[in-house]
Amino acid sequence: MNHPTRNTLRVAAVAASAAVCATLAIAGPAQAAVVTDTSALRAAVTLDGVKSHLAAFQSIASANGGNRAAGTPGHAASLAYVKQKLEAAGYTTTVQPFTYERTDFTGTSMSQVSPNPDTYALGVDYFPMDYTGGGNLTNVHVTAVDVNLGGDRASTSGCEPGDFGAFPAGDIALIQRGSCDFAVKAQNALDAGAVGVIVFNQGNDVPGDDRFGLFGGTLGSIIDENLPVVSAPFELGAEWVNTSNLHLSLSVQITVVPVTTQNIWADTAGRTDRTVVVGGHLDSVAEGPGINDNGSGTAAILETAIQMAKLGVRPENRVRFAFWSGEEDGLIGSSYYVSQLSAKEVKGTALNLNFDMIGSPNPVNFVYDGDGNALGVSGPNGSGTIEGVFNDFFASQGQPTEPTDFDGRSDYFGFIEAGIPAGGLFTGAEGIKSAEQAAIFGGTAGEAYDPCYHSACDTYANLDDDTLGLMSDAVAHSTLVFAKTTSAVNGTGKGKAVGQFDPAFKGHQALR
């Protein structure tokens, strides 16, 4: 999983029962019901089985520089492992190669020189925007531009040339997010003589969007190859605004690296015009082995595929078990997959189930808010039905859930952009568990859901077994439910993404 987000606490009602039989309404006058008993598959998909794949992923990473990143031997070995397991279970696999350019920021740094010397962390305190220029700024004065830290924090900071009327040429411009495109803010700053730009988050509540934490942004195209432009979270930006005579050093070093990698998938029998894509990303970040992110999701998908074959399950609808690459570089593999579908294939894709990080050590049972009722941003028609299947499952197990929004952070993004219904599960990344969440889900308030997110310590030891077991059951349950019927799921089928793959695509990035 790549970009940071901020979640709002809401908890679904729960009710306990001993078994799970999912009911989906069939569209039509009679509104008949189809009941799917998933108990046999859930019994077959064991925690030990899932963890055996995670142990293999850990061994692969350990033998290949400590990671399984796209385009590396660690990812190639992970794909070979998945391929061997699927083919041993009787599947025919398809490998889909693709190439893209990745922007690396090795050597990039940021620090406060005065009045309070401090060093900032890339990916935590700041992040270069897409199409930023490079540069090496040392001990440069920072000037805030038309910011609003009070009330509703409504902001047009940097949107008008007049905002820079008294701006000292040669300074770094500190600009608040809001109202206009980042490119407009950066261009106005450049025209006023700024040598660098920091855009900090706005600090207001927007349903379905994160306006407080670190965010990903794009300029759309390069404003100036020598103008570094970075984003920052609201709290840090507000601190800088209130710091007199602030001097920062900012170095943005850009290296463009060509990456060649592969997706892999395997299909069951069943109706090809109602294909259920069950996916997760197989690549890790370069910083670690990626066992929770996202060995956990792919291991559960793999074990579900294996056990469906062993049980001789004959689904009504084709299930495509997909393992994406390039997610950590901007959802590249899944977006490429969707872009290569014909309009007929897009229409024939009933839905996408996405499983990305399902074993976090300080977890919350997050379910994507498909209908948008909780967080304000819905998926395509049918996404609410998918959400309901997950919520009903957890209720049947006496387990609470909390909605998480469609913020474009994981591999469902390409599907919902194409009008395909989607849903999935998530147990938390770098976000901080609240006291309310700790009271409901257990764990430790004030600490990250996954303290090892995108780090070298995301190892086989970085898992909560109870959560991983519960989530693996949910993976198996939802896969079989939609393998048997998709009649209540009705996507828009617009085919928005067909033929539009951009090898420089960086994932979903907010413009404002």
Side-chain angles (χ1 to χ4, degrees):
M1 176 162 288
N2 47 30
H3 300 301
T5 189
R6 175 175 177 262
N7 293 296
T8 302
L9 176 66
R10 288 177 175 86
V11 180
V14 298
S17 70
V20 177
C21 291
T23 302
L24 286 180
I26 296 293
Q31 290 296 304
V34 173
V35 177
T36 303
D37 183 355
T38 66
S39 57
L41 180 59
R42 287 184 289 114
V45 176
T46 64
L47 178 63
D48 285 346
V50 172
K51 292 194 74 174
S52 70
H53 305 311
L54 292 173
F57 292 151
Q58 177 66 69
S59 295
I60 288 169
S62 297
N64 289 280
N67 71 80
R68 301 181 300 108
T72 69
H75 180 267
S78 297
L79 186 142
Y81 174 83
V82 169
K83 188 175 191 292
Q84 185 274 322
K85 289 295 182 180
L86 289 170
E87 292 178 351
Y91 292 98
T92 298
T93 59
T94 299
V95 174
Q96 181 184 51
F98 59 97
T99 300
Y100 61 96
E101 291 185 339
R102 184 183 71 231
T103 302
D104 285 351
F105 297 106
T106 303
T108 293
S109 63
M110 186 174 183
S111 62
Q112 182 174 161
V113 178
S114 64
N116 304 304
D118 199 0
T119 300
Y120 302 112
L122 177 68
V124 176
D125 301 313
Y126 72 102
F127 198 78
M129 288 198 179
D130 289 343
Y131 302 105
T132 179
N136 188 19
L137 308 177
T138 302
N139 195 14
V140 176
H141 186 261
V142 178
T143 296
V145 178
D146 191 31
V147 302
N148 176 22
L149 304 183
D152 61 3
R153 294 170 181 154
S155 171
T156 61
S157 172
C159 293
E160 302 291 339
D163 293 344
F164 296 85
F167 185 84
D171 275 19
I172 294 172
L174 179 60
I175 301 173
Q176 188 175 10
R177 182 182 183 181
S179 297
C180 64
D181 291 354
F182 301 136
V184 172
K185 296 173 185 283
Q187 184 65 61
N188 286 336
L190 178 67
D191 292 345
V195 295
V197 177
I198 301 169
V199 181
F200 68 95
N201 219 338
Q202 190 170 351
N204 58 329
D205 282 308
V206 176
D209 196 5
D210 172 21
R211 295 280 169 151
F212 288 85
L214 183 64
F215 61 96
T218 181
L219 300 173
S221 61
I222 296 175
I223 303 296
D224 186 289
E225 63 181 15
N226 297 312
L227 181 74
V229 183
V230 302
S231 62
F234 171 77
E235 185 175 359
L236 187 55
E239 177 185 313
W240 287 332
V241 170
N242 290 312
T243 301
S244 298
N245 199 26
L246 175 66
H247 284 71
L248 298 178
S249 290
L250 172 62
S251 177
V252 175
Q253 306 298 322
I254 300 171
T255 305
V256 177
V257 180
V259 177
T260 297
T261 187
Q262 299 168 316
N263 296 324
I264 183 172
W265 64 79
D267 294 340
T268 68
R271 290 182 55 169
T272 58
D273 63 334
R274 291 166 66 169
T275 298
V276 176
V277 179
V278 181
H281 71 91
L282 188 60
D283 61 311
S284 74
V285 293
E287 290 79 9
I291 299 304
N292 185 37
D293 182 17
N294 180 41
S296 58
T298 48
I301 294 168
L302 178 59
E303 188 63 10
T304 297
I306 292 169
Q307 296 306 323
M308 280 182 63
K310 285 184 177 180
L311 291 172
V313 174
R314 299 189 63 83
E316 177 181 348
N317 311 310
R318 178 172 69 177
V319 178
R320 174 162 289 176
F321 296 102
F323 304 82
W324 313 120
S325 185
E327 192 270 357
E328 297 291 4
D329 292 332
L331 318 179
I332 305 292
S334 54
S335 296
Y336 179 75
Y337 168 85
V338 175
S339 78
Q340 300 307 294
L341 298 176
S342 67
K344 181 179 179 181
E345 289 170 325
V346 170
K347 187 174 182 180
T349 303
L351 65 136
N352 168 235
L353 300 178
N354 184 69
F355 302 111
D356 186 358
M357 301 183 67
I358 61 170
S360 306
N362 191 29
V364 168
N365 301 332
F366 288 116
V367 176
Y368 290 122
D369 182 24
D371 58 16
N373 286 347
L375 300 173
V377 178
S378 63
N381 296 337
S383 300
T385 298
I386 301 169
E387 178 189 7
V389 166
F390 284 118
N391 283 334
D392 288 347
F393 169 77
F394 286 105
S396 74
Q397 304 300 296
Q399 296 293 327
T401 61
E402 177 178 330
T404 189
D405 53 10
F406 277 117
D407 58 4
R409 192 181 180 186
S410 192
D411 286 306
Y412 58 79
F413 178 67
F415 292 89
I416 63 176
E417 281 287 278
I420 297 168
L425 303 174
F426 172 49
T427 54
E430 80 294 344
I432 303 299
K433 178 172 278 189
S434 68
E436 294 86 353
Q437 289 172 328
I440 294 165
F441 297 97
T444 306
E447 293 188 3
Y449 307 120
D450 182 357
C452 289
Y453 175 66
H454 283 189
S455 300
C457 60
D458 186 12
T459 66
Y460 185 78
N462 186 48
L463 298 165
D464 181 87
D465 283 356
D466 289 342
T467 295
L468 181 60
L470 175 66
M471 291 287 162
S472 297
D473 279 351
V475 171
H477 172 76
S478 59
T479 298
L480 189 54
V481 165
F482 289 111
K484 293 297 186 181
T485 179
T486 60
S487 299
V489 178
N490 179 27
T492 59
K494 293 178 180 176
K496 182 176 177 182
V498 174
Q500 296 180 359
F501 177 70
D502 178 354
F505 176 68
K506 299 297 182 182
H508 178 44
Q509 305 281 354
L511 289 176
R512 295 185 172 93

